[in-house]
Amino acid sequence: MSLTAGIVGLPNVGKSTLFNAITKQKILAANYPFATIDPNVGVVTVPDKRLDFLNQLYCPKSLVPTTIEYIDIAGLVKGASLGEGLGNKFLSHIREVDAIVEVVRCFKNKDIIHVEGEVDPIRDIEIINLELMLADLEVINNRIGKIGKKAAMSKDKETIQEIGILNRLKESLEQNIPARMLKFNDEEQKLVKSFNLLTIKPIIYMTNVDEEDLLEGGNQYVEQVKEHAKKEQAKVVIVCAKIESELVDLTDEERTEFLNDLNISENGLDKLIKATYELLGLETYFTAGKDEVRAWTFKKGMKAPTCAGIIHSDFEKGFIRAEIMSYSDLKENGTELKVREAGKMRLEGKEYQMKDGDICYFRFNV
């Protein structure tokens, strides 16, 4: 399944510098607003050590990791919902992503201009969140205007349900509560999804600190962001754009040595990917053979036929059963044959919920 995350933030918070680093691309990162006008797209592979073992075991012709697409979206300013700056373009690009990564400046540097004059991460967060909520309110008010009279005069259950949800959303947003904080049942969620709201999208706050504060695990600004994130049940990732940019041109061995010297266990990209997966409830299954070893991303709770459909729609339509072994059983036993001999190879049907690390052979007939 395709996965995209939009990297957003006020101008000059380190957004494009971080994008360059995590995607290893050389996109313009200038010290003035709107250095990024069109969204730059970078596809990064998801690090997974399990693929290394599968690659050594099967020696396939091709090895295909799963990926995440990150989109660097133009910096936002106050009034974006009214078209200020590059507002309309900014907001339209956010509508297309699965999750929002909001870069928040948590460092002081007199040589780098702050569009609001001084460093204040909570104010910066509130500026962006307010613009997203104002844009959503416009969508909701327009929809209420279209169906409001019909709902008042009609006995149509669907229309009445929709106007009820719209009013709940409107009331929430007017109280500065993003749509993602509201609870909806499965039927309601389908309707809310059709509105394509910005504040319904899950969010990660990526706090950009200087090198010293990274080594210390943060600073007072990061603590402020963490407190804010708790209220939204959002995630916080601490990174240093300067260090990430220095890692770009290093080999894997040099990168590991560099991080070890700084006593850092993982780089910013790995932390961001892990947070994105957790935020979206994602896991990984594998297909493995001599032709190809491949990782596939799926949502927790998905059943086997739906996961098979990620490979090809015919796999889901004609699903018969799945032959499955867990990665841990394969690692423990060493070969597929020994997994079978140990009785750990399973045949699962249409109701089986896939698990992280499953290695699958789908049987289907179309």
Side-chain angles (χ1 to χ4, degrees):
M1 59 187 291
S2 137
L3 173 64
T4 60
I7 301 178
V8 306
L10 294 178
N12 296 345
V13 296
K15 183 171 56 65
S16 292
T17 301
L18 282 165
F19 175 83
N20 294 346
I22 66 177
T23 61
K24 297 184 181 179
Q25 291 189 26
K26 304 293 185 183
I27 305 302
L28 174 65
N31 183 23
Y32 55 88
F34 312 129
T36 307
I37 297 176
D38 294 318
N40 299 299
V41 179
V43 178
V44 300
T45 59
V46 175
D48 195 325
K49 293 180 179 179
R50 294 173 295 186
L51 278 174
D52 298 334
F53 172 78
L54 295 175
N55 190 39
Q56 292 175 359
L57 181 63
Y58 289 95
C59 300
K61 294 176 184 175
S62 67
L63 179 70
V64 186
T66 190
T67 61
I68 296 180
E69 189 175 87
Y70 287 104
I71 302 176
D72 179 27
I73 300 173
L76 177 147
V77 294
K78 285 181 182 176
S81 58
L82 301 175
E84 292 293 328
L86 300 168
N88 292 330
K89 233 177 183 182
F90 173 95
L91 297 170
S92 68
H93 293 319
I94 298 178
R95 293 193 193 280
E96 307 304 318
V97 303
D98 300 301
I100 296 172
V101 179
E102 184 173 331
V103 180
V104 185
R105 179 168 166 177
C106 291
F107 67 92
K108 288 184 178 181
N109 187 328
K110 63 181 181 181
D111 296 325
I112 300 178
I113 301 164
H114 192 294
V115 72
E116 290 296 320
E118 60 182 358
V119 176
D120 184 341
I122 301 306
R123 178 208 54 213
D124 295 354
I125 287 171
E126 289 174 347
I127 287 173
I128 288 187
N129 288 354
L130 177 61
E131 294 303 329
L132 300 184
M133 285 189 274
L134 288 173
D136 280 353
L137 270 173
E138 183 179 3
V139 170
I140 289 165
N141 285 330
N142 286 342
R143 184 62 184 164
I144 289 174
K146 286 182 180 179
I147 70 166
K149 289 183 180 179
K150 179 182 176 183
M153 300 173 63
S154 171
K155 293 184 179 180
D156 180 64
K157 288 184 179 180
E158 290 184 2
T159 305
I160 293 171
Q161 181 190 36
E162 182 177 354
I163 200 71
I165 291 173
L166 287 167
N167 283 326
R168 275 183 66 195
L169 287 164
K170 180 178 179 180
E171 182 180 349
S172 172
L173 291 168
E174 287 176 342
Q175 294 175 5
N176 291 327
I177 300 171
R180 60 180 166 272
M181 295 295 294
L182 299 181
K183 302 293 184 184
F184 299 101
N185 61 35
D186 291 343
E187 185 180 349
E188 290 171 336
Q189 281 178 350
K190 289 179 183 178
L191 186 56
V192 172
K193 189 176 180 180
S194 70
F195 302 146
N196 200 17
L197 300 177
L198 301 172
T199 64
I200 201 72
K201 298 180 185 296
I203 191 165
I204 296 171
Y205 293 112
M206 198 171 190
T207 57
N208 184 16
V209 301
D210 61 26
E211 183 175 329
E212 183 179 342
D213 287 332
L214 180 70
L215 301 181
E216 293 293 328
N219 55 31
Q220 73 272 23
Y221 296 132
V222 173
E223 293 307 311
Q224 291 172 19
V225 175
K226 285 181 177 180
E227 283 300 313
H228 179 90
K230 277 183 188 177
K231 301 172 188 175
E232 296 187 7
Q233 298 176 336
K235 290 193 172 293
V236 177
V237 175
I238 305 172
V239 297
C240 172
K242 183 176 182 293
I243 288 178
E244 294 299 319
S245 62
E246 290 173 358
L247 293 172
V248 170
D249 296 320
L250 301 181
T251 64
D252 288 343
E253 289 183 2
E254 291 171 336
R255 191 177 299 115
T256 300
E257 184 177 348
F258 182 89
L259 293 173
N260 286 340
D261 288 343
L262 293 174
N263 199 27
I264 298 173
S265 59
E266 57 185 348
N267 63 27
L269 173 59
D270 289 353
K271 289 192 287 187
L272 177 59
I273 289 173
K274 187 182 296 183
T276 305
Y277 261 58
E278 290 175 359
L279 187 71
L280 295 176
L282 302 177
E283 294 182 325
T284 303
Y285 77 84
F286 304 94
T287 51
K290 291 183 178 179
D291 287 333
E292 179 184 81
V293 166
R294 185 164 185 158
W296 304 87
T297 300
F298 69 99
K299 281 190 178 272
K300 289 180 184 179
M302 272 188 177
K303 294 182 178 178
T306 309
C307 285
I310 294 170
I311 300 175
H312 196 286
S313 58
D314 285 348
F315 283 32
E316 182 174 7
K317 290 176 185 175
F319 180 89
I320 300 172
R321 65 179 62 89
E323 189 173 17
I324 294 175
M325 59 181 164
S326 71
Y327 171 82
S328 58
D329 286 337
L330 180 59
K331 184 78 183 289
E332 180 182 344
N333 289 276
T335 66
E336 275 191 36
L337 178 60
K338 290 182 178 178
V339 171
R340 291 180 188 278
E341 291 173 347
K344 298 293 181 69
M345 185 73 76
R346 316 184 310 272
L347 286 178
E348 302 288 0
K350 293 182 179 180
E351 295 304 309
Y352 175 72
Q353 284 192 358
M354 294 283 284
K355 295 180 176 59
D356 185 60
D358 279 348
I359 302 169
C360 310
Y361 300 88
F362 293 112
R363 299 181 183 179
F364 70 102
N365 183 28
V366 177

